[in-house]
Amino acid sequence: VAVSALVEEKIDVKLALKSIERLNPRYREILRMRYIDDLPIKAIAEKLKKSETAVKLIIHRAKKALQNEHKEKPGGTAV
């Protein structure tokens, strides 16, 4: 693997983490449960006392917010 590819990967990870940090805490929590803790939708729904449909909707909104956040520069201006 080329050194430049490793550097680019590290930069991408840092940008992704910064984007996640700027998300609504509720979105961060649900994304963490789903993709870091690898919990199924049903388990998240039970833990949050919400329906599975509500959890799926929140995950969808959180992913959309993350995409929007990731498109912005750290200064808040769009790319």
Side-chain angles (χ1 to χ4, degrees):
V1 177
V3 172
S4 61
L6 291 174
V7 170
E8 285 181 32
E9 187 176 313
K10 280 190 171 187
I11 290 170
D12 287 344
V13 168
K14 282 186 176 183
L15 288 173
L17 290 173
K18 284 184 180 188
S19 294
I20 291 168
E21 287 173 5
R22 290 191 296 260
L23 283 180
N24 172 316
R26 177 179 167 192
Y27 287 170
R28 278 197 316 260
E29 176 188 23
I30 216 158
L31 289 176
R32 177 190 53 78
M33 286 191 279
R34 182 70 178 130
Y35 298 107
I36 305 295
D37 300 342
D38 202 28
L39 293 176
I41 300 291
K42 185 174 184 172
I44 296 169
E46 290 172 359
K47 187 170 187 163
L48 298 178
K49 296 181 171 69
K50 297 196 175 291
S51 70
E52 290 182 43
T53 302
V55 169
K56 288 177 187 177
L57 182 61
I58 295 167
I59 289 171
H60 173 76
R61 289 178 179 165
K63 287 166 56 175
K64 187 82 167 168
L66 184 58
Q67 286 175 339
N68 291 337
E69 193 64 47
H70 193 64
K71 288 179 185 177
E72 294 182 0
K73 289 183 180 179
T77 57
V79 175

